[in-house]
Amino acid sequence: MNKIKVLLADDHTIVRNGIMSLLESYPEVEIVGEAENGAEALQKVKELSPDVLMIDIAMPIMNGIETAQEVSKHYKQTRSLMLSMHNNEDYILKSVEAGAYGYLLKDTTRDEMLKALQTVAKGEKYFSPSVSNIIVASYLQKVKDSEKANLKKSKLSKKEKSIVKFIIQGDSSREIAEKLDLSIRTVDNHRANMMKRLSVKNAVELVKKVLDEKLM
């Protein structure tokens, strides 16, 4: 069985030693190197080609997120696994955006650490349960915000509502123009803009969309 080659990066020697002592008892893991800052970690990734870079976030010279981003761009053979004391939404989401394959908290168990290394080494994502909850909550909030933005974007202006009211009655653009004292071209432009904004192809679909979504 091929061992998982791990490079450990943390600016605290005592933390590195502690993690190394935990992982060295697993025959499937090989610690190939260690680094005390992001720049050193990046250089050692280049030299050693580890399967997994287990890296802290708060480090001097180059922090863990910046390092993970560089690794993701230039060293595809290595996958970053963030190991942090920060259960912080901003850190977690920035790590994901930087291309990290996983995020563990430093109070994790030894067995979970091994599971995370095995998962990430295979090219799969691994996040602590509490971290996963934060990622899911953030995603759901983005979906909610997007829906609100789309709803706001879909709302009709006062003039558009007046035009749609007559479209519902079956009036032509000429008839609507006469009733609202507008040019036919202006009515047609409003009609076309509404259809484009609401992603419909004709007047029937426009009326249905307006009524179904209660945009009047």
Side-chain angles (χ1 to χ4, degrees), residues 7 17 61 69 71 74 104 118 145 158 165 191 205:
L7 174 65
N17 290 341
I61 304 179
Q69 189 170 37
V71 169
H74 304 294
L104 284 178
Q118 291 171 326
D145 291 344
K158 187 175 180 180
K165 181 179 70 174
R191 185 195 294 255
E205 290 183 5

Side-chain angles (χ1 to χ4, degrees), residues 12 16 28 43 59 73 82 112 114 118 140 148 172 184 188 197-198 201 206:
H12 295 100
R16 293 200 310 273
E28 55 265 73
Q43 181 60 35
M59 292 192 301
K73 284 181 182 177
M82 314 309 288
E112 185 181 19
L114 175 63
Q118 291 171 326
L140 292 176
K148 284 183 178 179
S172 66
I184 297 175
D188 285 340
R197 194 162 76 249
L198 298 177
K201 298 176 182 177
L206 174 62

Side-chain angles (χ1 to χ4, degrees), residues 133-150:
N133 291 339
I134 290 174
I135 294 172
V136 170
S138 175
Y139 171 76
L140 292 176
Q141 185 60 49
K142 285 181 179 178
V143 169
K144 187 176 179 181
D145 291 344
S146 177
E147 288 175 347
K148 284 183 178 179
N150 288 337

Side-chain angles (χ1 to χ4, degrees), residues 65-184:
I65 294 173
E66 293 168 337
T67 306
Q69 189 170 37
E70 289 301 304
V71 169
S72 178
K73 284 181 182 177
H74 304 294
Y75 305 102
K76 303 294 185 183
Q77 78 283 359
T78 300
R79 300 176 178 96
S80 298
L81 172 61
M82 314 309 288
L83 183 63
S84 176
M85 62 183 291
H86 301 289
N87 192 4
N88 176 288
E89 181 178 352
D90 188 49
Y91 281 145
I92 293 167
L93 297 181
K94 283 182 177 178
S95 295
V96 173
E97 290 168 3
Y101 273 72
Y103 194 110
L104 284 178
L105 299 176
K106 285 186 175 178
D107 62 358
T108 188
T109 65
R110 186 182 69 152
D111 288 344
E112 185 181 19
M113 195 176 293
L114 175 63
K115 184 178 178 182
L117 286 171
Q118 291 171 326
T119 303
V120 170
K122 290 188 295 185
E124 300 172 5
K125 306 285 186 177
Y126 188 93
F127 301 98
S128 297
S130 60
V131 171
S132 293
N133 291 339
I134 290 174
I135 294 172
V136 170
S138 175
Y139 171 76
L140 292 176
Q141 185 60 49
K142 285 181 179 178
V143 169
K144 187 176 179 181
D145 291 344
S146 177
E147 288 175 347
K148 284 183 178 179
N150 288 337
L151 180 60
K152 185 176 181 181
K153 186 179 178 182
S154 297
K155 285 185 178 178
L156 305 180
S157 68
K158 187 175 180 180
K159 184 167 289 185
E160 287 173 337
K161 287 179 181 179
S162 299
I163 292 171
V164 169
K165 181 179 70 174
F166 290 117
I167 292 175
I168 292 172
Q169 293 175 7
D171 291 347
S172 66
S173 291
R174 181 179 295 279
E175 291 169 327
I176 295 171
E178 289 175 356
K179 290 177 180 179
L180 296 178
D181 195 22
L182 299 171
S183 69
I184 297 175

